[in-house]
Amino acid sequence: MGIKLKGLVAIVVVSLFLTPFCVGVGGLDLEKSKFVEVKGSPSVQCEEIAGKIKAGSEVSVTVVLTNFSQEIEESTLVFYSDLEDAGGHVGDGSRVIKDRGSFTVRHREFKDKDKELRIVWSGKAPELKTQQNTTLLSITQEITGEYLVVSVRREVSSEEIEEALNALSEARAEIENANSAISNATKHGVEVSEAETNLENANFHFRDANNSYWQGRAGESVTAAREAAHFARLAKERAESGSASVKCRNYGVLVGVVVLAVAVLVFLIIKRGRKRGIY
């Protein structure tokens, strides 16, 4: 029982670690600006892997701003990005902006609500050791305070990282199946010590796989995760084979009882028949 509890704890801990979360960077913790609007959704062009941006690939982001407030004369847009060699063009393309750079907007030039300010931003997705939610482009607006205009974030991954995540996911599923099989076998009075030993080995390799992943060793994580899945399958097979043996034994006993009952019934019928002179 202790082994199964440890296995469940390991799975919960790893699930928490594998859940993406955001940090307050690039203006994410700022109040949303009321002095400018983002038209539509930002456009992102990139090479993808499993629905995520491929590490090391070129990324392009286009943002269109409109409806600059006429209550203020000007504001300063500040640009932030986690992309490598990040930079872009503002307006007609004559003004080049780099990461952490700024651009001053004179709001009276945007009295016409249909007038737009287009920002085209590009850079290279960073090479990562683990999957990360990355800021492609964050724009803040400085007036008397600082406000968030837009933050474009996407998951960045690689083939090796995806292989490790898939292997961890498969191992986690196999361990859950093994836990279920052992629990079911225990309820039926099956000896599960061998199955529990295999499950303990599975949990050991699973923890190793998880540690390797978060330490940036995706290749080692894959190897350990596959070992975890292997031992988890063995644990499930041992538990289920033990359950099958018990079922066969119970079935054999039941058949024996039925045969005995039939034999007794036949004997009683013959005995009664003899008394009546039938046989």
Side-chain angles (χ1 to χ4, degrees):
M1 189 69 177
I3 294 174
K4 287 185 286 185
L5 181 59
K6 290 178 183 177
L8 182 60
V9 170
I11 290 170
V12 170
V13 170
V14 172
S15 297
L16 289 173
F17 278 130
L18 293 179
T19 303
F21 58 92
C22 299
V23 206
V25 294
L28 286 181
D29 53 352
L30 296 176
E31 180 185 348
K32 184 75 173 177
S33 175
K34 300 176 182 177
F35 305 100
V36 64
E37 294 179 2
V38 179
K39 183 178 180 180
S41 299
S43 170
V44 178
Q45 295 182 331
C46 61
E47 184 178 352
E48 292 188 348
I49 177 171
K52 304 156 193 171
I53 294 178
K54 185 175 182 180
S57 65
E58 293 296 324
V59 180
S60 176
V61 182
T62 300
V63 175
V64 178
L65 303 181
T66 186
N67 199 19
F68 284 87
S69 172
Q70 297 303 302
E71 297 178 3
I72 54 177
E73 292 185 3
E74 65 178 33
S75 62
T76 300
L77 300 178
V78 181
F79 302 84
Y80 171 86
S81 178
D82 285 334
L83 298 176
E84 296 176 358
D85 301 321
H89 297 83
V90 179
D92 59 7
S94 60
R95 179 66 185 272
V96 178
I97 304 295
K98 292 294 184 182
D99 182 29
R100 315 291 174 126
S102 62
F103 177 77
T104 299
V105 180
R106 292 176 175 80
H107 285 223
R108 62 178 178 272
E109 296 179 3
F110 292 85
K111 286 184 179 180
D112 184 353
K113 291 187 177 182
D114 293 330
K115 189 174 183 180
E116 302 171 347
L117 181 65
R118 181 178 297 269
I119 296 115
V120 180
W121 190 264
S122 62
K124 184 179 178 182
E127 295 285 358
L128 304 172
K129 297 294 186 181
T130 59
Q131 176 183 298
Q132 289 184 23
N133 196 294
T134 303
T135 299
L136 309 183
L137 173 62
S138 177
I139 303 175
T140 60
Q141 185 179 37
E142 294 181 350
I143 307 174
T144 52
E146 187 175 11
Y147 303 89
L148 175 65
V149 176
V150 65
S151 181
V152 184
R153 294 172 65 84
R154 296 288 188 279
E155 294 289 343
V156 175
S157 189
S158 68
E159 292 180 1
E160 191 175 38
I161 290 172
E162 287 303 307
E163 186 179 10
L165 290 174
N166 290 336
L168 280 165
S169 179
E170 180 183 349
R172 181 167 58 249
E174 294 290 357
I175 289 174
E176 289 173 352
N177 290 338
N179 268 307
S180 178
I182 290 174
S183 177
N184 184 59
T186 302
K187 289 177 183 177
H188 291 86
V190 177
E191 168 57 44
V192 292
S193 58
E194 186 177 358
E196 288 184 330
T197 298
N198 281 306
L199 181 58
E200 186 174 13
N201 288 331
N203 284 320
F204 171 80
H205 288 291
F206 188 70
R207 288 190 294 269
D208 185 33
N210 179 56
N211 290 335
S212 294
Y213 173 79
W214 288 106
Q215 290 170 10
R217 304 193 308 275
E220 294 179 23
S221 177
V222 170
T223 301
R226 287 174 178 168
E227 282 293 300
H230 167 70
F231 279 107
R233 283 190 290 269
L234 282 180
K236 180 174 179 286
E237 289 170 5
R238 296 295 183 271
E240 290 180 341
S241 64
S243 296
S245 297
V246 169
K247 287 180 181 179
C248 287
R249 185 169 64 247
N250 292 341
Y251 179 74
V253 171
L254 178 61
V255 169
V257 170
V258 171
V259 169
L260 180 60
V262 171
V264 170
L265 180 61
V266 170
F267 173 77
L268 291 175
I269 292 173
I270 292 174
K271 185 176 180 181
R272 182 178 298 178
R274 284 176 176 171
K275 287 182 176 180
R276 293 179 180 180
I278 298 175
Y279 297 97

